[in-house]
Structure formats: structure tokens, C-alpha cells
Amino acid sequence: MLHPYLTHALQLQAGMELVQPPKPGLAVLRGAILFGRNPRLITHRVVQYTYGMEVMVQYQEGVHPTDLKRTSDEEGVVYVSGMFRKFVTRNDLIPFDHVERIALPPVRQDLKNVKVALYRSTDASPKYVRDCQHIGTIHVTPATGRLHGFIPVQMHFGSTHIQVTAGSDRVDLQYL
């Protein structure tokens, strides 16, 4: 329970009545028990962060910063590293068990493995991962030993965690 003085100050500031459950800890515990018994009670979720992954795109002079410029060894193609590719945006309302899918093109087809770095941000539209918080990495090693085409990356929003798969590899991220 909030102190009566704090309750009054909040009501004056917000311009509306502040309703408090008589036992807030019990209300949270009851909600957790109900969710544990039937997770389908939660039908949608407001995403707290913008989630995405690091990608490389072809470098454009005057558009991308020069400090992120990289050259492909074989083809001589100039890329910019550290770009943010968004899965979902902060404050999006997403349904329970929602899956976002991205087909990630590898920089080169002869790679033996690919690192999929995952990030989050409080900004709705970050451009670069340097402006984000790193939350996990998946190392994808194709069963055939070589990449063939695009790498399927999925971000599954369900229950109390985010599950990310890239190729056949998977990582679970706790909501923070």
C-alpha cells in the first residue's frame, strides 16, 4: 500500500482517482497462478522493447558512417556492418504465440557458419546496433557444412520468454 500522502499527490498530479488493490502482493501472486494454470488467459502483450538483429547491407557513401564500412574479401563489395534489422517495435500489441520471421541473406554463400546477434532498444527505430543492448547470439552451422540460400530467423513471442531460432539452432531469451 502506498502512503496516503503519496496517494494524494499522485491523484492530484494525474487528475484522476488512484485505485489500489487491498493486498497488491496477493494480486500479483494470484495473476501468476492463473497464468501458470492457463497461459491462454493472456491473449496479447505490449512489447516493452524494439527487438531486432545485426545485419550487413551494401555501403552507400553519404548515407552510412565510414567507421562501419567493411569490404568483402573475395568480391570486393563494400558493406556496412552493425545495421539494426527490426523484428517488432516497442509498444506494439502482439498476440500470444506471435512469430516474426526474417530471411537473412548471408554475405557470402561459402561461409561455414554465421553469427546471428540479437539486440533490443527502447528507441522505436534504431538504425545501428551500437545504439542498442546486445541480448544474445546464435551461431548457425549448416548441417551440410555450407550455407545454401537465406537463413531463416524466427522470433517467437509467447509465455514469459522470447524464443529465437536461426536455421536449426535456438536460444531462449527472458523478458527483461
Side-chain angles (χ1 to χ4, degrees):
M1 290 289 279
L2 292 176
H3 189 277
Y5 176 78
L6 184 57
T7 302
H8 180 70
L10 286 170
Q11 288 174 337
L12 287 176
Q13 183 70 27
M16 61 181 77
E17 184 181 356
L18 182 63
V19 178
Q20 299 179 70
K23 296 181 181 176
L26 189 57
V28 171
L29 180 61
R30 185 170 184 260
I33 290 169
L34 289 172
F35 179 76
R37 294 181 73 194
N38 184 5
R40 300 281 178 199
L41 286 174
I42 306 297
T43 59
H44 288 77
R45 180 176 193 278
V46 176
V47 182
Q48 186 176 2
Y49 297 98
T50 299
Y51 289 98
M53 64 183 177
E54 181 178 6
V55 296
M56 292 178 70
V57 298
Q58 282 197 315
Y59 179 78
Q60 295 177 8
E61 191 71 43
V63 174
H64 298 116
T66 56
D67 63 317
L68 298 178
K69 194 160 84 167
R70 305 285 182 265
T71 304
S72 172
D73 293 338
E74 294 178 4
E75 299 108 24
V77 178
V78 180
Y79 291 96
V80 58
S81 64
M83 298 294 294
F84 184 82
R85 172 65 166 83
K86 188 182 341 182
F87 279 103
V88 294
T89 304
R90 178 178 193 246
N91 294 326
D92 277 355
L93 182 66
I94 58 172
F96 182 81
D97 274 348
H98 178 71
V99 177
E100 284 289 326
R101 293 174 174 83
I102 295 175
L104 179 65
V107 176
R108 296 188 334 253
Q109 290 295 323
D110 64 339
L111 296 174
K112 293 183 180 177
N113 59 53
V114 174
K115 177 182 80 167
V116 178
L118 305 164
Y119 292 85
R120 74 177 187 185
S121 175
T122 55
D123 184 7
S125 297
K127 289 180 73 173
Y128 304 102
V129 297
R130 65 183 173 197
D131 303 325
C132 303
Q133 179 185 10
H134 182 257
I135 56 172
T137 302
I138 302 176
H139 296 275
V140 180
T141 305
T144 62
R146 295 268 189 241
L147 293 171
H148 298 287
F150 290 78
I151 302 161
V153 182
Q154 298 183 106
M155 189 169 270
H156 177 219
F157 296 86
S159 190
T160 58
H161 65 279
I162 301 171
Q163 185 179 79
V164 182
T165 57
S168 61
D169 299 317
R170 182 180 93 195
V171 66
D172 290 334
L173 304 170
Q174 298 299 316
Y175 288 126
L176 301 175

